[in-house]
Amino acid sequence: MKFKLAITLACWIISFSLLAQKKEPIGLIKTSEGEIYIQLFEETPNYRKSFIQLAEANYWDAFTFNRVIPNFVAQAGCPDTAEGFNDPEYLLDPEFVKGITHVYGAVGAGRDDNPEKRSATCQFYIVHNQSGLHRLDNNYTVFGQVIKGMDVVDRIVFKKRDEKDEPLQPVTMDVSIVYLTNSEIKKLIGG
């Protein structure tokens, strides 16, 4: 009986230790204005997977923040086109999740006016409105949340911009994925 208890206890300790060391993928956007860290939601698995794949393929590294509007969004990735997004490789069906909304710092996927509300995963935006942008809820998929770097987003959206809301001085980016344990994430965000 003591042997069974000792084995059970040892298994529990090992399991707990492994669980504590589980690493989560965190989006890291290094910009010319500083670094932005993004938690990617498990509740939106297709968008999370797509973001990770594109980041690990260095897809966004040639792009900039192409649309910046204070109290609205900082948008980056593939630019808008007159014909909309027509590359099916980068279009995903919506993943609207109750409780995941357009709050300050939310990260969502851009899309054109298609009736299916399919998003171009090559384009993402970060909500810059302190009150959120809840008129976008259930119309655009939110798949992440900035956990560190909203001060960087502030600097980006307040850049001087042209009539199309594109920064006059390009804001470059290098998007990657870092894998962190829960304790590393807490330390990163200062908690």
Side-chain angles (χ1 to χ4, degrees):
M1 184 68 164
K2 287 182 182 181
F3 179 73
K4 273 184 152 180
L5 182 60
I7 294 294
T8 302
L9 184 58
C11 288
W12 183 82
I13 290 171
I14 291 169
S15 296
F16 181 76
S17 177
L18 291 174
L19 183 61
Q21 296 302 316
K22 180 182 172 197
K23 296 198 177 225
E24 294 294 323
I26 300 294
L28 170 58
I29 304 172
K30 293 180 182 178
T31 77
S32 49
E33 296 297 318
E35 296 180 346
I36 303 166
Y37 290 85
I38 299 170
Q39 175 188 6
L40 303 169
F41 297 142
E42 291 180 2
E43 295 89 345
T44 55
N46 294 322
Y47 285 79
R48 176 181 164 134
K49 179 182 175 184
S50 176
F51 188 91
I52 292 168
Q53 286 175 336
L54 291 173
E56 290 181 340
N58 301 315
Y59 176 84
W60 287 294
D61 296 354
F63 291 109
T64 62
F65 278 86
N66 60 304
R67 184 174 177 225
V68 297
I69 305 172
N71 297 312
F72 186 54
V73 298
Q75 185 171 305
C78 56
D80 293 327
T81 62
E83 60 275 356
F85 301 109
N86 54 20
D87 187 345
E89 181 181 352
Y90 295 109
L91 292 177
L92 286 179
D93 289 331
E95 291 182 326
F96 303 137
V97 178
K98 186 176 181 173
I100 296 179
T101 62
H102 284 82
V103 297
Y104 182 67
V107 181
R111 70 173 181 81
D112 59 16
D113 291 326
N114 70 81
E116 299 88 12
K117 300 181 182 179
R118 298 179 81 203
S119 297
T121 58
C122 60
Q123 187 179 97
F124 61 90
Y125 58 86
I126 300 170
V127 173
H128 184 256
N129 189 301
Q130 291 276 352
S131 300
L133 294 171
H134 298 291
R135 72 179 190 274
L136 303 179
D137 293 347
N138 297 313
N139 283 303
Y140 294 82
T141 297
V142 172
F143 63 90
Q145 179 70 38
V146 172
I147 56 174
K148 183 176 183 177
M150 282 305 291
D151 59 322
V152 175
V153 177
D154 287 341
R155 288 195 293 276
I156 291 170
V157 299
F158 287 115
K159 299 284 262 178
K160 288 185 180 181
R161 57 195 195 280
D162 64 19
E163 65 280 350
K164 295 185 296 187
D165 295 312
E166 188 171 343
L168 295 177
Q169 180 181 4
V171 179
T172 61
M173 59 182 185
D174 177 353
V175 182
S176 61
I177 301 296
V178 293
Y179 291 87
L180 303 174
T181 64
N182 285 336
S183 61
E184 290 169 328
I185 293 168
K186 287 180 183 176
K187 185 177 179 181
L188 174 71
I189 60 178

